[in-house]
Amino acid sequence: MLVQLVEGTRKNIPSYGKFTAKAFHPQTVTMHQVCKEIQEHCGAKASDVVQVLRELEDVLQLHLQAGDKVVLPFLGTMKMDIDSKVFDKPEDFDPAKHIKRFKISFLANSIKGERALFDGVKIDNVVRIKQKKSAE
């Protein structure tokens, strides 16, 4: 895994002038590449994998929008969450006014406290130091 170091630039918080480590993602793997790799590893045709993944997307959308948590045992749990603005009283709540965005939360599966998706993660390199512009 690659890491970038990011300098804090907000003068009113304790991290000002200090650095944090963030994951650096130099490339995006496409569905085509994922399907090709699955085909190479398990013998399923890439076109069949595409069909299953498209159906998975539809099923996930249906259940996540219904408020369900979706557990895929070898991967983890997904659920839909909401970022909201604050409001004074419950009766003041207006979804169009107060909901800022919807997001999907994902928690990697854990077996006896170990998360298989994290097995073998190594920090390979610090790729860059990023100094943000001041955001006073």
Side-chain angles (χ1 to χ4, degrees):
M1 171 164 254
L2 302 175
V3 173
Q4 67 179 345
L5 305 179
V6 180
E7 183 179 15
T9 59
R10 300 181 86 187
K11 291 183 180 179
N12 57 343
I13 61 173
S15 63
Y16 176 73
K18 298 180 181 180
F19 288 84
T20 57
K22 302 285 182 186
F24 178 66
H25 309 283
Q27 66 181 355
T28 300
V29 178
T30 65
M31 184 171 72
H32 173 75
Q33 180 65 31
V34 169
C35 292
K36 183 178 170 189
E37 289 179 26
I38 290 172
Q39 175 178 282
E40 290 169 2
H41 289 106
C42 77
K45 292 192 312 187
S47 59
D48 293 336
V49 176
V50 169
Q51 185 177 3
V52 169
L53 290 177
R54 285 187 175 149
E55 191 59 33
L56 177 62
E57 179 184 23
D58 292 343
V59 171
L60 286 174
Q61 181 180 13
L62 175 77
H63 286 286
L64 293 171
Q65 288 184 7
D68 299 334
K69 286 183 183 180
V70 177
V71 178
L72 301 175
F74 299 104
L75 291 176
T77 302
M78 288 174 257
K79 64 180 182 172
M80 188 171 287
D81 282 323
I82 295 172
D83 278 343
S84 165
K85 296 178 184 176
V86 297
F87 46 95
D88 294 320
K89 301 175 283 193
E91 55 270 16
D92 293 342
F93 178 67
D94 175 359
K97 181 178 170 185
H98 294 108
I99 293 178
K100 295 192 291 186
R101 69 182 176 136
F102 296 97
K103 59 185 181 180
I104 303 296
S105 295
F106 173 77
L107 179 63
N109 189 38
S110 172
I111 299 172
K112 295 182 181 179
E114 298 293 322
R115 300 197 186 280
L117 289 176
F118 302 142
D119 280 355
V121 172
K122 292 182 273 183
I123 303 302
D124 294 328
N125 196 4
V126 175
V127 292
R128 63 180 178 174
I129 296 175
K130 184 175 181 183
Q131 295 175 316
K132 294 183 176 179
K133 294 180 183 176
S134 180
E136 294 178 49

